[in-house]
Amino acid sequence: MSAPKNRRSIFLGRMSLPERNFIADALRAETVGGVLLLVAAVVALIWANTLSGSYASIRDFHLGPAALGLDLSVQHWAANGLLAVFFFVAGIELKRELVAGELRDPRAAALPVVAAVCGMAMPAIVYAVVNGIGGGSLQGWAVPTATDIAFALAVLAVIGTSLPSALRAFLLTLAVVDDLFAILIIAVFFTSKINFLALGLAVVGLAVFYLLLRKGVRGWYFYVPLALVIWALMENSGVHATIAGVAMGLMLRCHRREGERQSPGEHIEHLVRPLSAGLAVPLFALFSAGVSISGGAVHDVFTRPETLGVVLGLIVGKALGVFGGTWATARFTRAELNPDLKWPDVFAVATLAGIGFTVSLLIGELAFSEDLTLAAEIKAAVLIGSLLAAVFAGVLLKVRNNKYKKLCEDEERDEDQDGIPDIYELDKPEYHLRMAAIHEAKAAEHRRLAEVAADTHAGDDGPA
């Protein structure tokens, strides 16, 4: 008797119901935040191109206690302060993915991780090739490597596309891994002089934060002041202050204990995510996306090697990297694509990952902090590249939108009205018994109506 064949794993298959519900809630908040982010970016562009004097004066206005090394511009507060909240949520997301999400199983994690790594490597390679040929600066190699999940979801909301939950979860996992590598890039490549005393005190603060969590101490009045002190110390250390947010997010417990509806990490993420998506990131966009978009500026974006490298990195590099990494990993791990989906669906999502925006703007500011003119042009390149990636992805996704709508309807259908989508109960006898009772009740009602109709028809045919 021959040995049974190895059963192939399914890529982009159905998630467990708890995971699906958690991701749906998270993406719902990100979608709202993404729309606000989109609005903030548009406002910034209009403001900077109509009332540039007032925009620049507010953006460059300094405030904060100079004695504590915190006399910063409004733009700096937005980039280093508000984005620390964004990266705090990113840290929680990463921790949860590692202990309870898609990344907890090394075999299941291989596909999105390799796709994300390739999706960061290929844009950097495209940027390097363009600037190597054109004689440009290689400092901006990291600018096109990030994916902005909020902006991507805002694009889906604007174009009215209903992506199946598996594709949305894949996009979210990509963005989470992207954030991890973006954090490492910022920490390693954009840290100049280090104040070891401030850094050491920040590490002590993080240790205290960790001990309070492990001792089960509760109360925001302990953690918020401590978090502010850690952030201020990290800001003064020379290491980018957003690293403090990530570190604190990774320390939270994100697995559920018996009897818990939510882990502490999930609870805090639920509370802080609206602040991050609805306030922190849009304000960062407001004071970072305001660049001059004239005919000459657009011309420079497509003729200067640094800016052209960013645009092509986002549009071409991201799509080829994410898709190529996904296809190659599936090919060599013998994973089969969900039969309801096609490889062009994966390519469309890979193209959507080319929306870099938030982290790309941040890395652009850090990479060209000594050349403000080039930094502004890099920002324009990020905006244009992200816009073009959104347009291309929108066209590709619209082609299959009817199929996506049907898949989403199947995922949401709950004919027995027990609060659980039917697709998760097809292997349960109780579900089929409930459906049989429902259909029997409907059949009995139709028989009764048939008898009434027959009696009425007989009466109409009788003598006048």
Side-chain angles (χ1 to χ4, degrees), residues 245-319:
V246 177
M248 287 183 278
L250 286 170
M251 290 180 183
L252 294 174
R253 177 170 63 82
C254 291
H255 62 274
R256 300 178 188 179
R257 291 175 178 167
E258 188 175 352
E260 286 186 337
R261 292 185 59 190
Q262 284 184 316
S263 66
E266 290 171 329
H267 176 66
I268 293 173
E269 181 185 4
H270 180 74
L271 295 176
V272 179
R273 186 186 289 276
L275 176 64
S276 169
L279 182 66
V281 176
L283 282 178
F284 166 75
L286 182 64
F287 293 110
S288 293
V291 294
S292 174
I293 303 294
S294 61
V298 174
H299 176 268
D300 290 342
V301 165
F302 289 99
T303 55
R304 184 161 186 164
E306 294 89 349
T307 49
L308 181 60
V310 170
V311 172
L312 293 180
L314 289 171
I315 300 171
V316 179
K318 266 292 181 182

Side-chain angles (χ1 to χ4, degrees), residues 209 211-225 252-253 257-265 267-268:
F209 189 89
L211 288 174
L212 289 175
L213 288 172
R214 289 300 166 266
K215 293 293 184 181
V217 176
R218 297 189 177 186
W220 64 268
Y221 37 81
F222 289 113
Y223 293 102
V224 173
L252 294 174
R253 177 170 63 82
R257 291 175 178 167
E258 188 175 352
E260 286 186 337
R261 292 185 59 190
Q262 284 184 316
S263 66
H267 176 66
I268 293 173

Side-chain angles (χ1 to χ4, degrees), residues 30 40 83 97-98 256 259 287 291 298 334 370 407 424:
E30 290 286 2
L83 279 196
E97 287 292 319
L98 288 170
R256 300 178 188 179
F287 293 110
V291 294
V298 174
R334 297 176 60 82
E370 303 299 322
L407 290 175
Y424 287 94

Side-chain angles (χ1 to χ4, degrees), residues 41-404:
V42 172
V43 170
L45 287 171
I46 295 173
W47 189 4
N49 285 276
T50 55
L51 300 169
S52 58
S54 66
Y55 180 81
S57 63
I58 293 176
R59 181 192 61 195
D60 299 332
F61 181 77
H62 278 62
L63 68 158
L68 298 177
L70 298 175
D71 182 21
L72 310 174
S73 68
V74 170
Q75 183 179 19
H76 194 118
W77 276 109
N80 287 32
L82 292 176
L83 279 196
V85 179
F86 167 80
F87 278 107
F88 174 69
V89 174
I92 300 175
E93 286 179 339
L94 177 61
K95 178 68 173 290
R96 188 192 170 278
E97 287 292 319
L98 288 170
V99 302
E102 290 292 307
L103 303 181
R104 73 186 185 280
D105 179 2
R107 291 184 61 188
L111 241 161
V113 169
V114 172
V117 170
C118 293
M120 298 190 81
M122 187 58 71
I125 291 171
V126 169
Y127 179 93
V129 169
V130 171
N131 282 271
I133 295 173
S137 170
L138 294 178
Q139 285 179 267
W141 65 270
V143 175
T145 60
T147 293
D148 192 316
I149 182 66
F151 213 135
L153 292 172
V155 169
L156 294 178
V158 169
I159 65 177
T161 289
S162 303
L163 273 188
S165 58
L167 283 175
R168 288 176 178 261
F170 178 62
L171 184 61
L172 177 61
T173 307
L174 274 178
V176 169
V177 179
D178 257 296
D179 287 341
L180 169 63
F181 285 101
I183 291 158
L184 294 175
I185 289 170
I186 291 170
V188 174
F189 295 99
F190 298 108
T191 297
S192 51
K193 294 184 295 183
I194 297 180
N195 181 332
F196 286 100
L197 176 60
L199 181 59
L201 291 174
V203 171
V204 171
L206 288 170
V208 173
F209 189 89
Y210 178 81
L211 288 174
L212 289 175
L213 288 172
R214 289 300 166 266
K215 293 293 184 181
V217 176
R218 297 189 177 186
W220 64 268
Y221 37 81
F222 289 113
Y223 293 102
V224 173
L226 179 58
L228 292 174
V229 170
I230 293 170
W231 175 88
L233 289 168
M234 195 69 77
E235 171 67 24
N236 280 278
S237 73
V239 178
H240 201 270
T242 54
I243 303 301
V246 177
M248 287 183 278
L250 286 170
M251 290 180 183
L252 294 174
R253 177 170 63 82
C254 291
H255 62 274
R256 300 178 188 179
R257 291 175 178 167
E258 188 175 352
E260 286 186 337
R261 292 185 59 190
Q262 284 184 316
S263 66
E266 290 171 329
H267 176 66
I268 293 173
E269 181 185 4
H270 180 74
L271 295 176
V272 179
R273 186 186 289 276
L275 176 64
S276 169
L279 182 66
V281 176
L283 282 178
F284 166 75
L286 182 64
F287 293 110
S288 293
V291 294
S292 174
I293 303 294
S294 61
V298 174
H299 176 268
D300 290 342
V301 165
F302 289 99
T303 55
R304 184 161 186 164
E306 294 89 349
T307 49
L308 181 60
V310 170
V311 172
L312 293 180
L314 289 171
I315 300 171
V316 179
K318 266 292 181 182
L320 293 181
V322 172
F323 180 79
T326 304
W327 183 87
T329 308
R331 176 75 176 80
F332 289 112
T333 59
R334 297 176 60 82
E336 291 183 344
L337 183 64
N338 182 340
D340 290 328
L341 299 172
K342 305 295 181 186
W343 281 108
D345 300 324
V346 180
F347 185 78
V349 172
T351 306
L352 191 64
I355 300 174
F357 204 73
T358 303
V359 179
S360 291
L361 288 176
L362 175 62
I363 294 177
E365 289 180 2
L366 296 173
F368 297 101
S369 58
E370 303 299 322
D371 188 341
L372 298 182
T373 301
L374 182 53
E377 292 177 349
I378 289 292
K379 288 183 181 180
V382 170
L383 295 174
I384 292 173
S386 296
L387 176 62
L388 291 175
V391 171
F392 293 151
V395 171
L396 294 174
L397 291 170
K398 272 295 186 182
V399 172
R400 293 265 290 166
N401 197 38
N402 289 336
K403 176 66 174 178
Y404 297 151

